Amino acid sequence: MPKQRITKEMVVNAAFEIARTEGMEKVMVKTIAGKLGCSVQPIYSYCQNMDSLRKDVACRAGTYMQEYLKSHIDLDNLFQSTGRAYIQMAKEEPHIFKIYISRERENITSLDDLYQTETNPKMAKIIAGHLHISEEEAKQLHLHMLIYTIGIGTILSVTSSGISEKEIFHQQEQAYQAFFKFIQGGKQP
């Protein structure tokens, strides 16, 4: 039987699957080789260091997360369905969620930088039109909900959560109502 040629793509795919099912801490040369059914030598030939491979896995996790969100968003209720999709992702794919959220972000020196990096630039305008508020108010509401949703999603991704989606969505809706009330009153929380 001829030997299978191991490619870099195969190594990254195997590492991603390990990270997805067992967590990034399980992405090691030995576990990748085991998944591919090969010796460690081909893995070492593509990975001068594990940091580089983990960055490739994090990039793949980001792509996976974006695809997941797109497939779970209701275009008629874009703002709320995006928040719900983040929560569903945290419950259904906790390892991917953790990888995506905990990835290093360079040149973030303010919450505005974070907002610009993590959101669709058109979202504030969509929210403003839907809620009849200014784009700046919509941006503030969106930032508050982004921070809240990432926080609650992180809780779900690091616990063996028995918390129901209904309970989480209710909590998320309460946070939305509180933040919206601040925005309407012109107060900054």
Side-chain angles (χ1 to χ4, degrees):
M1 179 150 93
K3 284 190 173 186
Q4 179 182 12
R5 174 157 159 64
I6 304 298
T7 66
K8 182 175 182 179
E9 183 177 352
M10 292 168 71
V11 171
V12 173
N13 287 342
F16 175 77
E17 284 305 316
I18 292 165
R20 181 178 177 202
T21 57
E22 301 177 52
M24 188 68 97
E25 60 278 1
K26 299 291 185 181
V27 175
M28 297 177 278
V29 173
K30 186 176 178 180
T31 55
I32 296 167
K35 182 135 182 99
L36 291 173
C38 67
S39 72
V40 296
Q41 186 55 42
I43 313 305
Y44 282 119
S45 69
Y46 291 115
C47 306
Q48 283 72 31
N49 63 57
M50 289 303 289
D51 287 340
S52 174
L53 179 60
R54 286 189 176 107
K55 283 182 183 178
D56 289 343
V57 171
C59 182
R60 179 79 48 90
T63 301
Y64 184 91
M65 178 119 174
Q66 294 307 315
E67 289 170 3
Y68 181 96
L69 293 174
K70 283 179 190 174
S71 71
H72 287 76
I73 290 174
D74 175 3
L75 295 177
D76 294 327
N77 187 5
L78 191 59
F79 182 50
Q80 289 178 315
S81 69
T82 300
R84 287 179 175 231
Y86 267 88
I87 297 304
Q88 288 172 314
M89 176 75 178
K91 278 192 76 100
E92 293 172 17
E93 298 280 0
H95 296 298
I96 297 296
F97 188 85
K98 284 188 280 189
I99 292 166
Y100 179 77
I101 295 302
S102 66
R103 77 190 191 286
E104 186 173 334
R105 291 160 174 84
E106 296 178 2
N107 302 317
I108 303 292
T109 60
S110 69
L111 289 176
D112 186 59
D113 290 345
L114 179 70
Y115 182 80
Q116 297 302 321
T117 302
E118 296 296 316
T119 64
N120 178 333
K122 298 175 186 173
M123 187 60 93
K125 188 172 189 164
I126 292 168
I127 295 166
H130 180 72
L131 298 176
H132 308 290
I133 58 178
S134 73
E135 279 190 49
E136 188 56 37
E137 291 168 328
K139 182 180 167 184
Q140 283 301 306
L141 177 61
H142 192 198
L143 177 61
H144 291 312
M145 287 307 298
L146 176 70
I147 293 167
Y148 183 84
T149 300
I150 288 172
I152 203 159
T154 301
I155 290 167
L156 288 174
S157 73
V158 298
T159 61
S160 55
S161 182
I163 305 170
S164 72
E165 283 185 359
K166 182 179 176 181
E167 183 179 358
I168 295 298
F169 292 156
H170 177 73
Q171 192 68 31
Q172 198 176 31
E173 180 63 25
Q174 286 181 321
Y176 165 76
Q177 293 297 330
F179 290 136
F180 188 58
K181 188 174 181 179
F182 272 113
I183 296 299
Q184 285 183 312
K187 300 175 186 173
Q188 292 296 321

